[in-house]
Amino acid sequence: CTLGLPLQGAEPGVVRTLMRPTQAVAHCVNMNWPTLIVGSESSGKSTILKFLSESCNVHLEEIALTQSSDVNELVGCFEQVDASEYSIHLLRILRGLCEVSCQIL
């Protein structure tokens, strides 16, 4: 589904006040960006997602969250990695390649 929705005028299923947020979410989806939608109860968060999923004929998986929900329940845990170790290893490899190429030449 291409979400290049202009959403001008009265789109069926979308309240006029939700057009700009719907466009923003559609843009994020097009860019494959993770999107966090927050707002008060009955502010239109679910309406936006349901409209976009129905428009693209894509299944929407709904998860009920509460204030006590932890982000780890959604994304899991990530192990922190020290990137400098990889940089040092890469520099050693490059140095070795440089030495070998200089000997050949």
Side-chain angles (χ1 to χ4, degrees), residues 82-103:
D82 185 8
S84 64
E85 290 180 30
Y86 292 110
S87 299
I88 292 168
H89 181 68
L90 181 60
L91 285 173
R92 286 184 183 140
I93 292 171
L94 289 173
R95 188 175 295 133
L97 289 172
C98 183
E99 290 172 4
V100 169
S101 61
C102 288
Q103 290 173 357

Side-chain angles (χ1 to χ4, degrees), residues 17-78:
T17 58
L18 296 180
M19 284 187 211
R20 292 194 78 171
T22 302
Q23 288 177 322
V25 172
H27 178 72
C28 291
V29 170
N30 271 336
M31 300 298 290
N32 289 322
W33 292 342
T35 308
L36 178 62
I37 302 173
V38 295
S40 59
E41 189 175 328
S42 299
S43 62
K45 302 176 298 290
S46 295
T47 302
I48 290 170
L49 296 177
K50 288 176 183 176
F51 170 75
L52 290 174
S53 68
E54 289 172 7
S55 297
C56 297
N57 197 27
V58 174
H59 174 72
L60 176 65
E61 189 71 37
E62 297 184 55
I63 303 170
L65 300 174
T66 66
Q67 288 183 347
S68 63
S69 297
D70 190 324
V71 70
N72 290 327
E73 295 174 36
L74 297 175
V75 297
C77 295
F78 295 95

Side-chain angles (χ1 to χ4, degrees), residues 1-5 26 30 55-56:
C1 173
T2 302
L3 293 173
L5 304 173
N30 271 336
S55 297
C56 297

